[in-house]
Amino acid sequence: MILTKKIEGKSLVWVSHNNQYIIVQNIVADTLILLDLETPIKEIFTALYTSINIPYNEACNFINDIKKLLEEKEAEEELFSNHNIPSSFQIRKYYKINSSIFFIEFLSDYTFSLIHPKFAHLEINSQDKIEYHYKVFTSNDSIYFYIDNILIGSWKTIDSHYFQGKFSMKIIEHTHKKGEDNWMGIFHASAVSNEKKSILFLGDSGNGKSTSLALLQANGFSCLADDFVPILSKNKEVYSFSSAISIKKNSVPILLPFYPELETSAEYHFKALNKIVRYLPPRNTSSKKNQPCKTLVFIKYIPENELEITKISRLEAFQQLVPDSWLSPKIENATTFLDWFAELECYKLTYSNNEKMIATVKKLFTDDL
């Protein structure tokens, strides 16, 4: 099964068997559709000859190359090494998100460090009534994740970021009472809101997404989510994610006038990522907020750089957005994603002056650029 969406003279294509998105020429997309419909090869040759007038041999090679995109690979069997759920856990914590109580047990300081820093502001005292019971532990160089004694998944410790993604996905599902199949996608971005609409900041780590989000939060906007932005398929709206905002060490002096608590907040060293961060709790009073997404902004802080904001093509934005995103493999959600993306405005913003950045974002919300 494939889906296509024509944008700016080319086609966005979704291939269902590997949940892959690609950008191709329209003739390639049209040929993919014919192959997917099992159209007789003779008719495909005729269509190609009519469209681009190529010789028979070239048409054969062209079709064979395109066929490769539709070839299904055998699914890799998911293997879990032998393990037992530990009888006792070193660290036991309770967290409250909205009205839900999460009881999470960690076997070690290592597993605790993967999760707790971003959720520490949600910790509460022990409770008699809990809604969800999570267990996280390592065994045989793998991380195991259970919910209510049901295995959710296993990951090698070197791939701990995949575990963190699945953990965050489950928090979102349980917080908003919507299963994984209900979500269009999860985006590596920061989401800022004016209480009516949201804007997503995207960019490589260190470009200033989280710092910009914190500055905007201190200037009348709300933080919907940082680093892990969920969008529901049904209404195509951005939903809140309750984790703290990640603040890198070199951003602390910039933010101290607005957040004096950063002066004494805990500092975490992530050697594998070569970064030192502190965590800033969002100021949202509720984790139930959701708003439509107005704009995508690829943001970058460059010292001594004059502020510049330019509209970029959706094709350019798509190439940057998709690789860092989790996108649902369901056909209904893939259709929604392509429709959603085709309507977005996309910008590139570089800046060094924080006040000018804040003023520019205000104009983006009010269409006053």
Side-chain angles (χ1 to χ4, degrees), residues 90-305:
Q90 179 181 336
I91 302 168
R92 310 166 86 218
K93 295 288 183 179
Y94 295 82
Y95 305 87
K96 184 175 182 180
I97 306 176
N98 294 338
S99 57
S100 297
I101 307 298
F102 295 77
F103 175 41
I104 305 179
E105 296 186 280
F106 304 93
L107 183 64
S108 64
D109 287 336
Y110 168 69
T111 51
F112 182 63
S113 72
L114 294 175
I115 299 300
H116 180 74
K118 294 202 77 167
F119 295 94
H121 62 289
L122 299 167
E123 184 181 351
I124 58 173
N125 295 327
S126 62
Q127 302 288 309
D128 293 329
K129 293 183 179 180
I130 63 170
E131 193 167 351
Y132 303 104
H133 185 184
Y134 292 13
K135 292 179 180 179
V136 182
F137 61 93
T138 55
S139 177
N140 301 318
D141 198 33
S142 294
I143 302 169
Y144 290 87
F145 178 30
Y146 279 78
I147 298 179
D148 299 330
N149 288 323
I150 297 173
L151 179 63
I152 303 302
S154 168
W155 302 263
K156 289 294 183 181
T157 52
I158 59 172
D159 295 323
S160 60
H161 57 289
Y162 290 118
F163 153 68
Q164 290 170 312
K166 176 60 78 172
F167 185 97
S168 296
M169 186 76 233
K170 288 300 176 184
I171 290 288
I172 286 170
E173 289 178 40
H174 293 153
T175 299
H176 295 292
K177 312 300 182 189
K178 299 183 188 299
E180 185 171 308
D181 284 350
N182 296 117
W183 299 98
M184 179 183 86
I186 307 293
F187 300 91
H188 180 220
S190 296
V192 62
S193 163
N194 68 349
E195 305 301 333
K196 294 179 182 178
K197 295 181 180 180
S198 64
I199 289 176
L200 298 194
F201 291 131
L202 303 107
D204 294 336
S205 179
N207 276 9
K209 297 187 301 291
S210 299
T211 304
S212 301
L213 176 63
L215 286 166
L216 289 160
Q217 180 179 249
N219 283 271
F221 293 93
S222 294
C223 163
L224 275 181
D226 182 48
D227 261 353
F228 204 81
V229 178
I231 298 183
L232 194 69
S233 187
K234 184 177 180 180
N235 56 16
K236 296 182 276 192
E237 292 192 353
V238 177
Y239 277 64
S240 59
F241 179 50
S242 49
S243 70
I245 304 170
S246 174
I247 305 299
K248 294 183 176 64
K249 187 172 184 178
N250 58 0
S251 295
V252 171
I254 297 168
L255 295 173
L256 272 177
F258 307 101
Y259 304 100
E261 63 269 30
L262 283 172
E263 182 75 57
T264 55
S265 61
E267 200 169 66
Y268 297 90
H269 296 244
F270 297 102
K271 293 180 181 178
L273 300 176
N274 193 29
K275 66 180 182 180
I276 300 172
V277 303
R278 303 183 189 198
Y279 287 100
L280 180 68
R283 290 177 177 173
N284 284 344
T285 56
S286 169
S287 295
K288 294 181 180 178
K289 292 184 177 180
N290 53 281
Q291 273 112 39
C293 177
K294 183 181 186 304
T295 305
L296 299 184
V297 177
F298 293 86
I299 196 165
K300 188 169 186 178
Y301 175 86
I302 303 177
E304 300 180 8
N305 191 79

Side-chain angles (χ1 to χ4, degrees), residues 343-360:
E343 299 299 320
L344 285 177
E345 290 184 337
C346 305
Y347 289 88
K348 181 178 180 181
L349 171 63
T350 55
Y351 77 98
S352 62
N353 184 291
N354 295 326
E355 289 75 19
K356 288 183 178 180
M357 180 275 293
I358 294 165
T360 300

